[in-house]
Amino acid sequence: MTQDEKRLLQERHRLEQAENRNRVAERKARTRRLIQEGAILEKALPQASTMNLEELEDFLYGILRKN
């Protein structure tokens, strides 16, 4: 393997690592946002914590359709 091939392989590997770090950071940011939004929902609508997901979805869509 020549030096140029080695450098190219190393650069490709560095790029893949950077892309992987970005994907992980985006996933963590999305998870954090979803958790925060869920906490806000439960704070504004305390009965949400006792509903299953389908009931909560139906309830929210019902509210939104009235407006």
Side-chain angles (χ1 to χ4, degrees), residues 38-39 41-60:
L41 176 63
E42 284 188 354
K43 185 176 180 182
L45 187 67
Q47 64 266 33
S49 62
T50 61
M51 296 178 180
N52 66 37
L53 293 178
E54 187 176 309
E55 292 170 336
L56 179 59
E57 184 179 15
D58 291 343
F59 177 78
L60 291 174

Side-chain angles (χ1 to χ4, degrees), residues 1-64:
M1 182 176 282
T2 67
Q3 286 294 87
D4 288 338
E5 290 173 331
K6 269 187 182 177
R7 271 191 233 115
L8 181 61
L9 187 60
Q10 287 174 340
E11 285 302 317
R12 188 177 300 145
H13 185 72
R14 285 187 190 115
L15 180 61
E16 288 173 0
Q17 286 178 326
E19 289 171 349
N20 286 340
R21 282 192 301 272
N22 288 342
R23 272 195 294 274
V24 168
E26 288 171 2
R27 190 175 65 242
K28 285 183 179 185
R30 180 178 186 270
T31 299
R32 179 177 169 84
R33 180 181 52 81
L34 291 173
I35 290 169
Q36 289 173 330
E37 289 173 353
I40 291 169
L41 176 63
E42 284 188 354
K43 185 176 180 182
L45 187 67
Q47 64 266 33
S49 62
T50 61
M51 296 178 180
N52 66 37
L53 293 178
E54 187 176 309
E55 292 170 336
L56 179 59
E57 184 179 15
D58 291 343
F59 177 78
L60 291 174
Y61 277 122
I63 290 172
L64 294 173

